[in-house]
């Protein structure tokens, strides 16, 4: 399974419709994207906490309302060919993706778990009839617990950074996750087999060279995140499409 990381972010500005359209054109199986809340509680697509790197504005994402977010240029930093590219609103992205491609939505940012944010996210996904076409993930496992408390069925992928194996396996089972998303440095022979025995998939981030893809494919992972979703087919890496 080839997952376009922030869309096809090697060839178009990350987390924009250009990167998502390119991912579909390059035949990715899934698109990964990051979401955050605007000041007025709308979910938008953005990786960094700050707008500086991709929009050239020295402010945190959470201080701008949606109306201001819509005026930003999220493409020029990458290349002038993409100037005027908008910050996607999750609602619009779900409409676009429906019947086209599944989404791994990574929840970023600081969220008040006592508020309405998680509920509004689940409602938006459900309103679009996309509950079976999304995989929700986060490095913040408290957010994933809140997701699971509100929805017993929505697919969850546990994002792991430095945590020990015993800890992330325990959490994944607790969350009834369908997949565990591991950084490439944690990948070892035998690990996918062990996770498969617990009925979960193993996805690895972020592989941008053929060598890394080959190494991880050889230990039996189910898929990987990459900025270059056509690299395996270009170079004829024998990955199984699912
Ligand atoms: O979900 C895998 C990967 O996207 C996590 O890292 O920093 O690119 O969001 P990051
Ligand atoms: Ca991400």
């Amino acid at each position: 399974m080839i997952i376009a990381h922030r869309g096809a972010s090697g060839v178009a500005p990350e987390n924009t419709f250009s990167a998502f359209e390119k991912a579909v054109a390059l035949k990715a199986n899934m698109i990964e994207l990051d979401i955050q809340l605007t000041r007025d509680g709308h979910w938008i697509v953005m990786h960094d906490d700050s707008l500086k790197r991709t929009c050239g504005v020295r402010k945190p994402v959470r201080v701008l309302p949606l109306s201001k977010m819509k005026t930003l240029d999220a493409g020029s930093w990458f290349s002038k060919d993409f100037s005027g590219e908008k910050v996607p609103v999750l609602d619009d992205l779900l409409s676009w993706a429906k019947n086209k491609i599944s989404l791994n939505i990574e929840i970023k940012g600081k969220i008040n778990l006592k508020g309405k944010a998680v509920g509004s996210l689940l409602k938006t996904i459900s309103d679009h009839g996309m509950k079976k076409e999304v995989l929700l993930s986060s490095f913040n496992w408290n957010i994933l617990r809140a997701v699971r408390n509100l929805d017993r069925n929505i697919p969850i992928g546990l994002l792991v950074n430095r945590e020990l194996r015993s800890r992330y396996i325990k959490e994944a089972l607790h969350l009834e996750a369908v997949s565990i998303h591991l950084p490439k440095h944690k990948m070892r022979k035998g690990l996918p087999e062990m996770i498969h025995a617990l009925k979960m998939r193993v996805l690895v981030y972020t592989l941008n060279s053929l060598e890394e893809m080959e190494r991880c494919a050889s230990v039996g992972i189910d898929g990987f995140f990459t900025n270059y979703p056509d690299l395996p087919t270009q170079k004829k890496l024998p990955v199984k499409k699912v």
Side-chain angles (χ1 to χ4, degrees):
M1 190 173 195
I2 298 172
I3 305 161
H5 179 242
R6 309 182 197 172
S9 58
V11 293
E14 66 181 54
N15 284 328
T16 64
F17 273 105
S18 286
F20 301 146
E21 271 158 10
K22 197 77 185 159
V24 171
L26 298 179
K27 304 207 178 338
N29 302 108
M30 183 184 263
I31 290 171
E32 187 265 358
L33 60 126
D34 308 284
I35 60 164
Q36 298 189 47
L37 282 172
T38 60
R39 189 179 79 198
D40 47 351
H42 295 274
W43 288 102
I44 52 107
V45 182
M46 177 80 56
H47 179 272
D48 297 3
D49 290 346
S50 162
L51 295 161
K52 177 78 181 67
R53 182 176 61 92
T54 59
C55 298
V57 174
R58 235 176 242 283
K59 285 186 176 162
V61 173
R62 67 187 147 72
V63 305
L64 252 60
L66 182 63
S67 56
K68 282 273 170 358
M69 205 65 77
K70 284 183 171 176
T71 66
L72 300 178
D73 175 353
S76 292
W77 73 275
F78 187 85
S79 146
K80 64 175 171 27
D81 296 344
F82 295 95
S83 71
E85 184 83 42
K86 296 290 177 219
V87 174
V89 179
L90 180 64
D91 201 45
D92 297 336
L93 178 60
L94 289 165
S95 301
W96 171 86
K98 175 96 177 144
N99 300 322
K100 193 179 283 157
I101 191 158
S102 55
L103 303 175
N104 171 208
I105 301 175
E106 184 190 338
I107 308 163
K108 297 270 197 207
K110 290 186 182 61
I111 291 169
N112 173 10
L113 293 175
K114 294 198 176 115
K116 294 181 177 162
V118 174
S120 91
L121 172 62
L122 293 173
K123 182 173 184 313
T124 303
I125 293 168
S126 176
D127 287 349
H128 284 273
M130 287 285 281
K131 268 177 72 167
K132 291 192 173 146
E133 313 303 321
V134 299
L135 174 60
L136 295 183
S137 62
S138 184
F139 284 115
N140 183 336
W141 298 354
N142 288 330
I143 295 177
L144 297 179
R145 286 181 178 203
V147 167
R148 183 53 81 230
N149 282 341
L150 289 177
D151 192 313
R152 288 202 50 78
N153 302 313
I154 199 154
I156 286 178
L158 183 71
L159 251 173
V160 174
N161 187 8
R162 293 175 184 279
E163 296 85 359
L164 291 176
R165 187 190 300 187
S166 54
R167 179 139 184 263
Y168 69 72
I169 292 285
K170 191 174 164 202
E171 186 67 28
L173 291 172
H174 175 74
L175 289 167
E176 297 182 32
V178 296
S179 51
I180 298 182
H181 306 185
L182 292 163
K184 56 195 172 191
H185 65 82
K186 280 201 185 276
M187 204 34 58
R188 303 273 182 281
K189 199 164 179 277
L191 182 56
E193 219 173 354
M194 190 270 258
I195 295 174
H196 290 156
L198 299 169
K199 308 254 178 298
M200 290 180 280
R201 288 181 166 189
V202 179
L203 305 177
V204 178
Y205 63 90
T206 301
L207 310 183
N208 286 327
S209 77
L210 205 59
E211 292 71 31
E212 290 175 328
M213 292 174 187
E214 277 167 340
R215 184 179 78 81
C216 290
S218 74
V219 299
I221 65 171
D222 301 285
F224 54 82
F225 300 83
T226 178
N227 299 353
Y228 303 95
D230 61 334
L231 190 59
T233 34
Q234 254 180 31
K235 305 282 183 181
K236 302 199 175 14
L237 181 75
V239 291
K240 187 176 66 180
K241 290 252 180 178
V242 292

